[in-house]
Amino acid sequence: MKPVYFFDEGDGKNKKLLGGKGAGLCEMTRLKLPVPPGFIITTEVCNHYYQNNKKLPKGLLAQVKKNIAKIEKKTGKKWNSKDNPLLVSVRSGAAISMPGMMDTILNLGINDVTVEGLAKQSNNPRFALDSYRRFIQLFGKVVFGVDDKKFDEVLETAKKNQAVQSDGALNEKSLRGIVSEYKKICEKYAGRPFPSDPFEQLELAIKAVFASWKGERAIVYREKNNITKDIADGTAVNVVTMVFGNMGNDSATGVVFTRNPGDGTKHIFGDYLLNAQGEDVVAGVRTPKPIDNMKVELPTSYKQLENTCNKLEKHFREPQDIEFTIEQGRFYLLQTRNGKMNAVSMVKTSVDMVKEKLINKDQALRRIQAEQLEQLLHKTIDQNKAKGFKQVTKGIAASPGAASGVVVFDVKKATTMGENGTKVILVREETKPEDVPAFFAAAGILTSRGGKTSHAAVVARGMGKPCIVGCSDLKIDYDNGKCVADGQTINEGDTITIDGSSGGIFLGEMPTIQPQITDDFKTILDWSQKIKKIGVRANADTPDAAKLARKYGAQGIGLCRTERMFNAKDRIGLFVDMIMAKTLDERNVVLEKLKQLQKSDFIEILKAMEGYTVTIRLLDPPLHEFLPNPEELANKIYKLEKENSTVGLEQTKTILNRARDLAEINPMMGHRGVRLGITYPEIYRMQIIAVFEATAELVKQKVDARPQIMIPQVSSVAELNHIKRIYDEIKSEMEQKYKQKLKIDFGTMLEVVRACLTAQELANTAEFFSFGTNDLTQATFSFSREDAEGKFLPEYLEKDLLEKSPFQSIDENGVGSLMKIGIAGGRKIKPKLEIGICGEHGGDPSSIKFCHKSGLSYVSASPHRIPIAIVAAAQAVLEKPQKTNKKAKKKAKKKSKKR
Ligand code: ADP
Ligand code: MG
Ligand code: MG
């Protein structure tokens, strides 16, 4: 193990060992860019430190001394010298940048002797003393843990005594007094003399950097951002020769991006400060100037900055985020890293860099974070105008996009108000299927319970409506028409803004930005379409959703849920009648009406997707989900009886009885899907006929309609065959009636464990498979989704018992194994069997990559995730490094020749 690397010994590749900052400094040194000399203590040393009771490895300090000597040689400065002292900064740096993990210690090596050297050398005693007092404060804070307040008090007193306003006006005498007071503060707090030996300072600082890796801030940051050990394991320490941006008006410090991270345009973007050290920019003590000013103030340095930006971009082939300092006209680079940018900028820079021949198309697609693209398809809060709006609280971001509206708690009221043109945010503890009409009418939905896959979340995502769920801070008081969060009361009728992308809830109406598919975005989607192999279809239940999906590039519908069609306001009543029907005849009358409605929906959807497959799933949820909940009914009866009213009383009682009849202990595993089709065949008959009639009519109109019929919740081939017989009967009836052949594939979902295990049997009957990975995940884990997300899943994630929620990303080892069994079984019988996935995983980039590798025919995702899916599907193809690809192909060719 080599514990220390001088900047000219490392390179940019090994970020895990050298940390991102260190690797960047090494790479820039190799490029002969002006980096102040320095060295890196590796992340391995950090891990050794923790494994050995917080002791530095033997010989480390000797190595450090050697490297300090090397700096001395390169710079001509001397460690602990009274003439030309070498000062350094000590900076943390893990493989991934973790903002705010630790404060950088500047000016280390300064003491009562070297401060005089610095004063002499800079010819500026005030500057030297100011550096000294800054060092003591930072060192005291980072190493000993002294509160900044203690130092600030001293500073304030000194300013008062000297009768000046700003720190910069303090004279030498005051500064000397401050230095001595500061030292006393540290000594009192730490119970030891302030270290004056530079090596002792350095040793303590190195340990403090290591300690910061397990500081609370860092741990929380890693948890929040899913930074696991294989991404970043320990921090490195960077020791860098100090350069001074605060040596007068020919000195400066600044931070820039090589391109605008907000919109991707190509110009240097950032700020700088004249006569300042880096921390001043961050601390916000002084307002920095826009970088364009530098053209006038420091023209030569600006030229250097420009050249440097170009050179770095050419080298890294990625816009950079740079920190620089100018010391008396000399330009130095202190950091570079790939710039973080928003989706707009990511897309624009990808296309631009291809035009500039900086990267090729494959590289352009590979660098995009597919997940980020969702930002481009929804209204977002205009961050430039967001100041002044108060975030009341935060929930789980369930469906992206921003929406403002008046708070309404009552579902019916929200529906009416929404339909009459008021912008409404529906606020509920949770939502149920019967609330769906309000979803259409509302601008956004906010619930205090539930997780990312709660009813509200799933429905809202399907519609592309902004939604926040699980906002447990929010206490809703339906009776008094108000809710309270964090001591703040929000009354019905108040305007709020919800940001479904971040989970933030704000008071008032915040300005938003409309989504737009730019030409650059279209270009990226075009490139992806050409590269990807796996099909991308949409989960869409309405003609509008189908049209939207097609506009975004979906090639078909992988899941069209028929129950959603019954949820519309004018239909739910009919459906309730159907459920309440006492006799088969009565039921058939209602079914006939429902059939007409379904048929017209199918016609519209099939038209919208003309030329592409549309997979229609027959009714899945249990019937009781369509009835009002028993508690509400009982309340209604109670009220009616209390008011001595008979209006609707009997009917409500009947509904209540029926609801109780239909109630189930575990509806998820209850009377639903194909089971319902077997016990109420008239429902499935009606749906199948509707599909056939819709198709026949479209064929007559010469519309290329391509429906498929899909049966949910199948666990055995016997069930499937049972429904197949009904289908066959209807098919021949219909073909006779319309006097034409009608091709409508009959297939099954694989969402029950047993279905995967017996896929080989199912494939004899099924003409296609589609994995319903939501239910399959529930069944594989025996986690009920709602309970898991609301109760224990967050803790599982926190305690690393699960890396990601299996409801978000396919659990490859478990659910994935079942899928592989299903695929192998199906294709054994029908080698070309079409197999897709229609769970919400179909829109998740890492799951899409898994599906691609597993040989699925297509993924199906909600309309707003189609672009993500298309790009992720292309990335799946690009994932293999191309060199090995070529080699593998060559090998394969050789082999085939031999044969
Ligand atoms: P962060 O990781 O928070 O960005 P850095 O280690 O980059 O922290 O340090 C913050 C700032 O401190 C830098 O941007 C730079 O302005 C200043 N700084 C760090 N090292 C030096 C140095 N050797 N000379 C001058 N300024 C430095
Ligand atoms: Mg930095
Ligand atoms: Mg299902």
Side-chain angles (χ1 to χ4, degrees), residues 166-177:
S166 79
D167 302 2
L170 289 165
N171 61 24
E172 256 186 80
K173 185 167 162 259
S174 298
L175 285 168
R176 279 188 203 280

PDB file of all heavy atoms in Angstrom, residues 166-177:
ATOM      1  N   SER A 166     -15.924  47.038   9.379  1.00  0.00           N
ATOM      2  CA  SER A 166     -15.622  45.779   8.694  1.00  0.00           C
ATOM      3  C   SER A 166     -14.340  45.139   9.213  1.00  0.00           C
ATOM      4  O   SER A 166     -13.454  45.828   9.732  1.00  0.00           O
ATOM      5  CB  SER A 166     -15.500  46.028   7.189  1.00  0.00           C
ATOM      6  OG  SER A 166     -14.236  46.585   6.915  1.00  0.00           O
ATOM      7  N   ASP A 167     -14.261  43.811   8.999  1.00  0.00           N
ATOM      8  CA  ASP A 167     -13.075  43.062   9.415  1.00  0.00           C
ATOM      9  C   ASP A 167     -11.834  43.642   8.746  1.00  0.00           C
ATOM     10  O   ASP A 167     -10.757  43.700   9.333  1.00  0.00           O
ATOM     11  CB  ASP A 167     -13.176  41.588   8.985  1.00  0.00           C
ATOM     12  CG  ASP A 167     -14.415  40.916   9.547  1.00  0.00           C
ATOM     13  OD1 ASP A 167     -15.203  41.603  10.237  1.00  0.00           O
ATOM     14  OD2 ASP A 167     -14.592  39.712   9.297  1.00  0.00           O
ATOM     15  N   GLY A 168     -12.017  44.042   7.490  1.00  0.00           N
ATOM     16  CA  GLY A 168     -10.884  44.504   6.694  1.00  0.00           C
ATOM     17  C   GLY A 168     -10.248  45.777   7.242  1.00  0.00           C
ATOM     18  O   GLY A 168      -9.112  46.101   6.910  1.00  0.00           O
ATOM     19  N   ALA A 169     -10.977  46.476   8.095  1.00  0.00           N
ATOM     20  CA  ALA A 169     -10.458  47.741   8.608  1.00  0.00           C
ATOM     21  C   ALA A 169      -9.676  47.577   9.912  1.00  0.00           C
ATOM     22  O   ALA A 169      -9.131  48.539  10.455  1.00  0.00           O
ATOM     23  CB  ALA A 169     -11.610  48.721   8.807  1.00  0.00           C
ATOM     24  N   LEU A 170      -9.637  46.345  10.393  1.00  0.00           N
ATOM     25  CA  LEU A 170      -8.912  46.128  11.660  1.00  0.00           C
ATOM     26  C   LEU A 170      -7.419  46.360  11.441  1.00  0.00           C
ATOM     27  O   LEU A 170      -6.843  45.910  10.456  1.00  0.00           O
ATOM     28  CB  LEU A 170      -9.150  44.694  12.147  1.00  0.00           C
ATOM     29  CG  LEU A 170     -10.568  44.412  12.663  1.00  0.00           C
ATOM     30  CD1 LEU A 170     -10.814  42.919  12.778  1.00  0.00           C
ATOM     31  CD2 LEU A 170     -10.796  45.109  13.999  1.00  0.00           C
ATOM     32  N   ASN A 171      -6.805  47.058  12.399  1.00  0.00           N
ATOM     33  CA  ASN A 171      -5.373  47.333  12.234  1.00  0.00           C
ATOM     34  C   ASN A 171      -4.523  46.238  12.876  1.00  0.00           C
ATOM     35  O   ASN A 171      -5.041  45.311  13.492  1.00  0.00           O
ATOM     36  CB  ASN A 171      -5.030  48.720  12.783  1.00  0.00           C
ATOM     37  CG  ASN A 171      -5.341  48.812  14.278  1.00  0.00           C
ATOM     38  OD1 ASN A 171      -5.367  47.789  14.969  1.00  0.00           O
ATOM     39  ND2 ASN A 171      -5.592  50.010  14.767  1.00  0.00           N
ATOM     40  N   GLU A 172      -3.219  46.364  12.673  1.00  0.00           N
ATOM     41  CA  GLU A 172      -2.286  45.346  13.151  1.00  0.00           C
ATOM     42  C   GLU A 172      -2.442  45.062  14.629  1.00  0.00           C
ATOM     43  O   GLU A 172      -2.454  43.913  15.050  1.00  0.00           O
ATOM     44  CB  GLU A 172      -0.867  45.861  12.908  1.00  0.00           C
ATOM     45  CG  GLU A 172      -0.188  45.209  11.739  1.00  0.00           C
ATOM     46  CD  GLU A 172       1.259  45.671  11.659  1.00  0.00           C
ATOM     47  OE1 GLU A 172       2.108  45.132  12.410  1.00  0.00           O
ATOM     48  OE2 GLU A 172       1.507  46.585  10.880  1.00  0.00           O
ATOM     49  N   LYS A 173      -2.591  46.136  15.363  1.00  0.00           N
ATOM     50  CA  LYS A 173      -2.637  45.970  16.819  1.00  0.00           C
ATOM     51  C   LYS A 173      -3.880  45.160  17.217  1.00  0.00           C
ATOM     52  O   LYS A 173      -3.798  44.203  17.985  1.00  0.00           O
ATOM     53  CB  LYS A 173      -2.669  47.355  17.485  1.00  0.00           C
ATOM     54  CG  LYS A 173      -2.599  47.287  18.994  1.00  0.00           C
ATOM     55  CD  LYS A 173      -2.305  48.654  19.620  1.00  0.00           C
ATOM     56  CE  LYS A 173      -2.688  48.639  21.088  1.00  0.00           C
ATOM     57  NZ  LYS A 173      -3.986  49.290  21.346  1.00  0.00           N
ATOM     58  N   SER A 174      -4.995  45.546  16.652  1.00  0.00           N
ATOM     59  CA  SER A 174      -6.228  44.798  16.951  1.00  0.00           C
ATOM     60  C   SER A 174      -6.067  43.337  16.567  1.00  0.00           C
ATOM     61  O   SER A 174      -6.470  42.433  17.300  1.00  0.00           O
ATOM     62  CB  SER A 174      -7.414  45.377  16.186  1.00  0.00           C
ATOM     63  OG  SER A 174      -7.636  46.702  16.572  1.00  0.00           O
ATOM     64  N   LEU A 175      -5.473  43.100  15.380  1.00  0.00           N
ATOM     65  CA  LEU A 175      -5.343  41.727  14.901  1.00  0.00           C
ATOM     66  C   LEU A 175      -4.454  40.893  15.833  1.00  0.00           C
ATOM     67  O   LEU A 175      -4.737  39.733  16.119  1.00  0.00           O
ATOM     68  CB  LEU A 175      -4.795  41.711  13.471  1.00  0.00           C
ATOM     69  CG  LEU A 175      -5.817  42.107  12.386  1.00  0.00           C
ATOM     70  CD1 LEU A 175      -5.121  42.342  11.056  1.00  0.00           C
ATOM     71  CD2 LEU A 175      -6.892  41.030  12.235  1.00  0.00           C
ATOM     72  N   ARG A 176      -3.382  41.519  16.304  1.00  0.00           N
ATOM     73  CA  ARG A 176      -2.515  40.792  17.240  1.00  0.00           C
ATOM     74  C   ARG A 176      -3.303  40.397  18.483  1.00  0.00           C
ATOM     75  O   ARG A 176      -3.177  39.280  18.991  1.00  0.00           O
ATOM     76  CB  ARG A 176      -1.308  41.645  17.648  1.00  0.00           C
ATOM     77  CG  ARG A 176      -0.215  41.607  16.611  1.00  0.00           C
ATOM     78  CD  ARG A 176       1.077  42.295  17.071  1.00  0.00           C
ATOM     79  NE  ARG A 176       1.840  42.704  15.894  1.00  0.00           N
ATOM     80  CZ  ARG A 176       2.602  41.867  15.182  1.00  0.00           C
ATOM     81  NH1 ARG A 176       2.728  40.596  15.558  1.00  0.00           N
ATOM     82  NH2 ARG A 176       3.241  42.294  14.112  1.00  0.00           N
ATOM     83  N   GLY A 177      -4.120  41.323  18.945  1.00  0.00           N
ATOM     84  CA  GLY A 177      -4.943  41.035  20.126  1.00  0.00           C
ATOM     85  C   GLY A 177      -5.902  39.886  19.834  1.00  0.00           C
ATOM     86  O   GLY A 177      -6.063  38.970  20.652  1.00  0.00           O
TER      87      GLY A 177
END
